[in-house]
Amino acid sequence: MKFYDINNPSNKVTLEEAVIKSISGTSGLYMPESIPLMPESFYNSLAGLGLQEIALQVSVAMFGNDIPENDLQQIINEALSFPIPLKQLDDNIFVLELFHGPTLAFKDVGARFMAGFFQYFLRNQDKEVVILVATSGDTGSAVANAFYNKKGVRVVILYPSGKVSGLQEKQLTTMGGNITALEVEGDFDDCQRLVKLAFADKEVNNRINLTSANSINFARLFPQSFFYFHALAQLGRTLNPVVISVPSGNLGNLTSGLIAKKMGLPVRHFIAATNRNRVVPNYLSSGEFKPQQTFHTISNAMDVGNPSNFPRLLEIYDRLYTVITSQIKGFSFDDEQNRHAMAELQKLYSYQADPHGAIGYLGLREYGLAKDTLGIFLETAHPAKFPFEVEKATQIQVAIPEALKGLANLPSHSIKISNTYSNFSALLETLF
Ligand SMILES: *Cc1c(COP(=O)(O)O)cnc(C)c1O
């Protein structure tokens, strides 16, 4: 499979280059030349397949000409070593729990799979690769965890000062080793901008092998499609229409779902559910894509004013606005609605959701599920990552999972920087 640069489609690269470079020289995102349709036999047997089997078949369809099946199998078995259960809350409301990985957010799926790809492609090289990653909270820890102590890789995480939860910050700053955490005086979009500027900086790129582990990297994006197939597999054979609500920020998760749909997954609509950062719902209702300044909300991992995967969303549907709006519905919600949703989920279903999953639930509610339609919302993080808001809304204490216990007592290490590029590039110079 060749990959093309969305900014310059005649520029085609191999899978290896798309993964190791992450983004083209013109800051363009890579897309596969074609999105393969899974065969009917796959869908006929889907209800009986497990997560790893699904991941293998879908990966072989996309990457089978570039990576031997045995290696794909090994990458998948190591990356997807935790369950992703679909739970039923009501006659036609289901929740797909994506938070059972080591850092308790769905980012583990993509980060671990991507780490496997890096190990595979770098296996015969002795060049060091530096991964720059901007995080609004969960990406950084998932990437740090996935790449911790991995040979030939160093990770630099940029996170917005004061805008991630206490536990999220602990997860970012306590790893040490080949992981460096930078606390940026600014918001997530500042972090993302600094990373983009570094990629465009010739001098820096001549000196360091930079890459990214944000969902602009196709190896992080694509594995997220597996859990959509897995969700429908768990639903079992059904003739009822299915709608999936995705709590969205940078649109990596939504784009993965849209790719699954392009591969033939029978989903009637995807819902882009956002917090106050409503660039995508605005686009869907007006046809105009206007990046905005970021608002800080209680679903901080979705505080994105200029979603990086938007060009991919356009590309999947050949930029046809009417097609896009026939496939994707978009709704946004403020913090008050979010708190009510967390309380309601607790009251109606004894389900303690986190502030991101609650936005997904609100998306289903706003969509207005017909009786015969099955709605799935994604629960993207464990509520224990946001204990303060969850406990306030649900009036019930959050059980702290093993992975987070003890974290609070570990010493944090981070370097504070301003949101100016000169400050960041000077620091890169001292680090590498
Ligand atoms: C990253 C994240 C999101 C948003 O996902 P995108 O792929 O950026 O749209 C939602 N919820 C949680 C918990 C996250 O960490």
Side-chain angles (χ1 to χ4, degrees):
M1 180 71 74
K2 284 265 191 261
F3 286 77
Y4 67 93
D5 170 1
I6 292 181
N7 284 353
N8 176 12
S10 62
N11 174 21
K12 295 191 176 149
V13 302
T14 59
L15 171 65
E16 174 168 355
E17 184 167 345
V19 169
I20 298 297
K21 292 241 173 81
S22 197
I23 192 165
S24 81
T26 61
S27 301
L29 302 186
Y30 288 118
M31 276 297 271
E33 241 179 351
S34 65
I35 297 178
L37 199 61
M38 296 302 290
E40 215 172 296
S41 56
F42 169 76
Y43 289 108
N44 289 337
S45 63
L46 185 62
L49 297 179
L51 175 60
Q52 294 187 353
E53 289 168 284
I54 290 170
L56 184 64
Q57 293 198 36
V58 174
S59 296
V60 167
M62 181 63 83
F63 304 124
N65 288 332
D66 301 287
I67 300 183
E69 189 167 327
N70 277 346
D71 292 291
L72 283 172
Q73 178 85 71
Q74 194 184 337
I75 291 167
I76 287 163
N77 292 355
E78 279 174 24
L80 302 176
S81 54
F82 48 87
I84 301 185
L86 183 76
K87 296 188 172 160
Q88 183 160 18
L89 298 186
D90 206 336
D91 286 345
N92 62 349
I93 299 181
F94 298 79
V95 53
L96 185 68
E97 290 186 348
L98 299 172
F99 57 73
H100 296 281
T103 71
L104 309 176
F106 86 95
K107 303 285 197 315
D108 282 324
V109 172
R112 290 162 67 81
F113 188 89
M114 181 184 161
F117 264 33
F118 266 60
Q119 292 296 288
Y120 175 78
F121 285 126
L122 297 177
R123 68 198 181 286
N124 301 322
Q125 295 186 20
D126 39 31
K127 276 192 297 190
E128 183 181 72
V129 173
V130 176
I131 298 179
L132 293 184
V133 54
T135 185
S136 53
D138 294 318
T139 298
S141 53
V143 170
N145 188 284
F147 284 91
Y148 182 63
N149 269 344
K150 290 272 191 285
K151 203 179 121 255
V153 180
R154 287 179 65 183
V155 179
V156 177
I157 303 168
L158 293 84
Y159 70 94
S161 180
K163 298 192 176 66
V164 301
S165 81
L167 274 172
Q168 284 176 323
E169 184 163 22
K170 275 287 176 190
Q171 286 183 308
L172 297 172
T173 57
T174 54
M175 308 246 354
N178 60 336
I179 316 293
T180 305
L182 305 183
E183 180 179 354
V184 178
E185 289 167 16
D187 56 28
F188 170 72
D189 289 298
D190 286 316
C191 298
Q192 193 151 258
R193 178 177 50 82
L194 292 178
V195 168
K196 281 197 178 149
L197 286 170
F199 282 118
D201 185 333
K202 287 227 163 60
E203 189 279 321
V204 167
N205 285 274
N206 285 339
R207 203 159 36 87
I208 334 175
N209 282 320
L210 283 186
T211 191
S212 157
N214 281 102
S215 51
I216 53 176
N217 193 305
F218 194 75
R220 222 201 86 191
L221 187 83
F222 187 69
Q224 295 171 171
S225 68
F226 306 153
F227 52 67
Y228 291 94
F229 292 98
H230 185 48
L232 266 73
Q234 292 178 80
L235 216 45
R237 281 176 186 276
T238 174
L239 294 174
N240 298 46
V242 175
V243 170
I244 302 182
S245 179
V246 185
S248 294
N250 258 322
L251 303 177
N253 208 355
L254 180 68
T255 305
S256 311
L258 299 175
I259 290 175
K261 186 164 193 248
K262 271 266 148 163
M263 297 179 86
L265 190 71
V267 175
R268 174 166 292 179
H269 287 131
F270 277 92
I271 300 169
T274 72
N275 58 29
R276 263 188 84 193
N277 296 284
R278 57 177 71 99
V279 178
V280 175
N282 284 352
Y283 164 76
L284 291 168
S285 61
S286 72
E288 260 186 286
F289 180 70
K290 274 206 226 128
Q292 281 174 359
Q293 167 219 349
T294 315
F295 295 109
H296 183 44
T297 75
I298 61 169
S299 47
N300 67 320
M302 293 155 50
D303 292 350
V304 182
N306 187 6
S308 59
N309 276 294
F310 188 72
R312 281 196 173 116
L313 183 154
L314 290 180
E315 202 66 14
I316 290 173
Y317 297 110
D318 296 325
R319 294 156 208 285
L320 297 170
Y321 176 66
T322 50
V323 179
I324 292 171
T325 53
S326 72
Q327 307 286 312
I328 310 169
K329 305 295 163 192
F331 308 110
S332 83
F333 307 94
D334 64 24
D335 283 347
E336 256 335 281
Q337 292 170 297
N338 191 341
R339 293 188 179 103
H340 277 132
M342 286 189 277
E344 182 172 305
L345 280 161
Q346 183 67 51
K347 183 157 161 261
L348 294 181
Y349 310 119
S350 303
Y351 191 78
Q352 201 172 35
D354 97 297
H356 302 81
I359 294 272
Y361 169 71
L362 283 168
L364 280 187
R365 289 272 314 271
E366 189 72 21
Y367 175 88
L369 286 177
K371 269 214 162 61
D372 72 333
T373 304
L374 306 180
I376 299 173
F377 69 95
L378 306 188
E379 174 48 305
T380 46
H382 193 291
K385 289 192 102 166
F386 310 92
F388 178 74
E389 287 298 340
V390 172
E391 288 174 2
K392 202 165 73 173
T394 63
Q395 299 293 316
I396 289 183
Q397 212 177 345
V398 188
I400 302 291
E402 277 311 312
L404 293 183
K405 283 185 187 155
L407 206 57
N409 303 322
L410 293 177
S412 292
H413 298 284
S414 64
I415 304 173
K416 228 181 183 148
I417 63 168
S418 75
N419 65 358
T420 59
Y421 183 65
S422 55
N423 195 194
F424 179 47
S425 65
L427 182 78
L428 284 177
E429 184 129 21
T430 64
L431 288 175
F432 307 104

